[in-house]
């Protein structure tokens, strides 16, 4: 077993750095740049760790929000949870006091895909939580505000699920819009030969057509049977 010449801490054989002070064990002292990078790295790790703990608490990650039955996708956001079903999306802002305050709404809101004009995604990173927002007719998109009824702020851990939701909803909106643009087809019901013959007989009985005209119609109807 070896010992660090800088702090005297006991180190394992073959170790390149002291686990106590970080001093190289090959006898060379760390450069000023290496020391700075080490300090900044420690600060970053500490800061990210604290941010993660605070974000997890604010988003309610300590609460077990279960994916609703039948939901295709599900995320737990700051304002509430978002569940995506085959025909609609459902916001649930009733999970906690924080969610009710952040959403400025509370309760549960169901939005069908034909009601959605567009969907906007701002990707999250290690340092930034971001948002998934739905634009509905007559409602302007929010400017990063926390009180939109159609916005969910999500943690980086949900980025893959958010990407799937974004693609799924966009496909739904596109399919609905393409369906609206298709020309309307007028379906004409074809009258059967027997119905034509019956109508001609009624016209003959009323004196509207002659016997000769009726016989012509009758011959054509019999050919079509």
């Amino acid at each position: 077993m070896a010992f660090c010449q800088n702090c005297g801490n006991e180190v394992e054989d073959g170790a390149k750095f002291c686990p106590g002070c970080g001093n190289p064990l090959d006898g060379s002292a760390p450069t000023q740049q290496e020391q700075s990078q080490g300090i900044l790295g420690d600060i970053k790790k500490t800061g990210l760790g604290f941010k993660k703990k605070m974000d997890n608490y604010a988003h309610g990650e300590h609460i077990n929000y279960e994916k609703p039955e039948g939901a295709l996708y599900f995320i737990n956001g700051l304002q509430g949870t978002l569940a995506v079903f085959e025909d609609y999306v459902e916001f649930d802002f009733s999970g906690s006091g924080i969610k009710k305050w952040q959403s400025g709404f509370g309760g549960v809101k169901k939005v069908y895909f034909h009601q959605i004009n567009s969907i906007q995604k701002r990707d999250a990173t290690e340092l930034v939580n971001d948002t998934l927002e739905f634009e509905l007719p007559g409602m302007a998109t929010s400017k990063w505000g926390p009180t939109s009824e159609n916005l969910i702020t999500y943690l980086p851990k949900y980025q893959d699920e958010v990407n799937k939701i974004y693609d799924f909803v966009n496909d739904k909106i596109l399919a609905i819009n393409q369906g609206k643009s298709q020309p309307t087809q007028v379906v004409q019901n074809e009258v059967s030969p027997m119905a034509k013959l019956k109508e001609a007989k009624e016209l003959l009985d009323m004196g509207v057509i002659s016997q000769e005209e009726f016989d012509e119609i009758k011959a054509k109807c019999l050919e079509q049977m």
Side-chain angles (χ1 to χ4, degrees):
M1 186 68 71
F3 296 89
C4 176
Q5 296 179 357
N6 183 54
C7 67
N9 190 55
E10 189 175 10
V11 296
E12 295 182 359
D13 293 335
K16 294 182 178 181
F17 296 92
C18 173
C21 66
N23 192 60
L25 299 178
D26 58 1
S28 60
T31 65
Q32 184 175 0
Q33 182 179 5
E34 289 173 339
Q35 290 178 339
S36 299
Q37 290 176 345
I39 293 173
L40 290 175
D42 290 341
I43 293 174
K44 182 180 179 181
K45 289 180 181 178
T46 302
L48 287 176
F50 179 74
K51 176 184 181 300
K52 184 176 181 180
K53 289 181 181 179
M54 294 300 296
D55 284 346
N56 285 344
Y57 179 78
H59 285 71
E61 289 295 303
H62 57 290
I63 302 174
N64 184 25
Y65 292 107
E66 295 185 358
K67 182 178 181 179
E69 183 177 356
L72 303 176
Y73 307 102
F74 178 76
I75 61 172
N76 173 38
L78 179 62
Q79 295 82 0
T81 61
L82 173 68
V84 180
F85 296 83
E86 184 63 36
D87 299 318
Y88 61 89
V89 298
E90 184 175 88
F91 298 89
D92 189 344
F93 303 110
S94 61
S96 67
I98 292 179
K99 292 187 185 298
K100 291 177 182 177
W101 177 78
Q102 286 288 347
S103 67
F105 179 63
V108 179
K109 180 177 181 178
K110 183 183 294 185
V111 180
Y112 288 88
F113 292 120
H114 72 269
Q115 298 175 287
I116 302 173
N117 284 344
S118 63
I119 178 173
Q120 184 174 15
K121 171 172 65 76
R122 303 180 181 95
D123 290 345
T125 66
E126 184 181 28
L127 297 173
V128 179
N129 304 329
D130 245 310
T131 57
L132 187 67
E133 186 171 14
F134 300 82
E135 182 184 356
L136 275 62
M139 300 181 66
T141 56
S142 69
K143 297 182 179 179
W144 298 86
T147 57
S148 171
E149 297 178 11
N150 312 304
L151 177 145
I152 291 290
T153 302
Y154 62 89
L155 297 172
K157 62 184 289 185
Y158 291 107
Q159 187 62 59
D160 289 343
E161 190 79 348
V162 169
N163 290 340
K164 294 176 183 178
I165 293 173
Y166 179 79
D167 291 339
F168 180 80
V169 174
N170 261 330
D171 289 343
K172 285 287 188 178
I173 295 174
L174 180 61
I176 291 172
N177 289 336
Q178 287 179 337
K180 290 179 180 178
S181 63
Q182 294 296 325
T184 304
Q185 295 182 350
V186 178
V187 179
Q188 296 181 345
N189 294 324
E190 185 178 353
V191 180
S192 67
M194 184 60 71
K196 290 181 181 179
L197 184 59
K198 181 180 179 182
E199 182 181 358
K201 182 63 169 67
E202 292 175 352
L203 293 176
L204 175 65
D205 294 340
M206 290 187 295
V208 177
I209 61 175
S210 64
Q211 182 66 46
E212 182 179 353
E213 291 173 324
F214 172 76
D215 291 339
E216 291 180 0
I217 296 174
K218 180 179 179 181
K220 291 180 180 179
C221 290
L222 293 174
E223 290 178 359
Q224 296 175 1
M225 290 182 181

